[in-house]
Amino acid sequence: MKSAIIMDMIYLDNAATSFPKAEGVAESIFSYIKENGRNIYRTNSMKSYDTVNQLIDLRIDISSLAGHADESTLFLNSGLTESINTVLRGYLKRNDHVIISHSEHNAVMRTLSDIGVSYSYPRVTGDGRNILDDIPHLLRENTKAIVFNISSNVTGVNEDTEKLACISNDLGVPLIIDTAQAFPFSEIKMDERNIMAMCFSGHKGLLGPEGTGGFILQKEFLGKVKPLITGGTGSRSDSIVQPEIYPDRFESGTRNIPGLIGLSAAARYVKEHLEELRKREKENTLYLLEGLLRIDGIKVHGELKEDRNSVISITAEEMDNAILAERLLEKYGIETRVGLHCAALAHKAIGTFPEGTIRLSPSPFTSKDELDAALDAIRREMR
């Protein structure tokens, strides 16, 4: 019997979920499950109160990173898809119209389709950047929101959020942003820019566990969004009507408390090391990008400049993308993602639909040795 060959894996799919997670995440989850395990707002227990306080600290840390002053209007759930669904389904109705980007994820596209909301989008440049000056010309009488992915999971483009917010405020149309690939590595400044709703992931840039995330609403937008899920909150139990108090109104049922305790450790770590994390991720991204641009037979799609996120999309000019991705995995232990990345509009914009791309996305923790190994493997396969 042949023994299995164990190879060291090189993880380059941080756009899907971060790995490794932040220091202290695993330990905090284990400690909660082993030593606490209490529900919140139900059990009359000091350990339950301790958990509530940890989640308050989590809300404060994430609100601070987002430039938002009121942690009581930050709502915790399973992640960005649930957040998008809660905000869009709670605010929009059939036959409404919204303005979107070319970078929208299926979390937005399928939700709009299911509700029956029409949409328009601006023109796009060859590298996948939305032409924001088009937005005022797309306005209709029934336009209820600008729903924008501010950082593409295909092209690496970071949109000009400040300009986008100015346009939204000038038009008097609420801005709802998807920050899956942006937060916390891009400046959001939610209050300063009067962004009405921000949906965020806990398991990507925040370096927390999967199944965590949430959304933030401005106070003036709170009453315009109905909860997606209603039920027990541990408060106002005498009423069959969903409570109006926050954050209870949007947090029915038992939360993924172990995951959120892990996210609390991650958010604390990110807040303490933010500038270093931003610097290292940018250095790794540009190093990988420059190396890929020098490999014959590889085409890099999307943003080629420094002001980008860590997502790099490539195609092999004379090889099927899926074959190259599988060779990278089987022969070299390099983990990537291949396909359309749940964002068909972005691929149509840059001419990679329907084949898609191979997506490589380093993290702040990716080493130069790992990047060199990945570049060497791709170089070898292109010979």
Side-chain angles (χ1 to χ4, degrees), residues 7-17 19 153 288 292 295 298 310-316 319-341 355-363 366 370-371 373-379 381:
M7 82 171 67
D8 291 332
M9 307 305 290
I10 297 175
Y11 183 72
L12 290 176
D13 195 21
N14 286 275
T17 192
F19 185 81
N153 73 332
L288 181 59
L292 289 167
I295 298 177
I298 289 293
S310 65
V311 175
I312 303 174
S313 272
I314 65 170
T315 53
M319 185 186 303
D320 185 276
N321 293 333
I323 292 175
L324 176 56
E326 195 61 23
R327 288 182 181 176
L328 292 176
L329 177 63
E330 291 185 350
K331 294 172 65 175
Y332 308 96
I334 298 168
E335 299 173 298
T336 62
R337 181 171 178 182
V338 62
L340 293 172
H341 320 308
E355 293 82 6
T357 60
I358 300 172
R359 189 178 70 184
L360 303 94
S361 45
S363 87
T366 308
E370 289 176 316
L371 296 176
L375 289 168
D376 184 61
I378 296 169
R379 198 176 294 113
E381 292 304 313

Side-chain angles (χ1 to χ4, degrees), residues 250-266:
F250 292 101
E251 294 187 7
S252 293
T254 298
R255 302 287 91 186
N256 172 19
I257 299 175
L260 294 174
I261 292 297
L263 180 58
S264 181

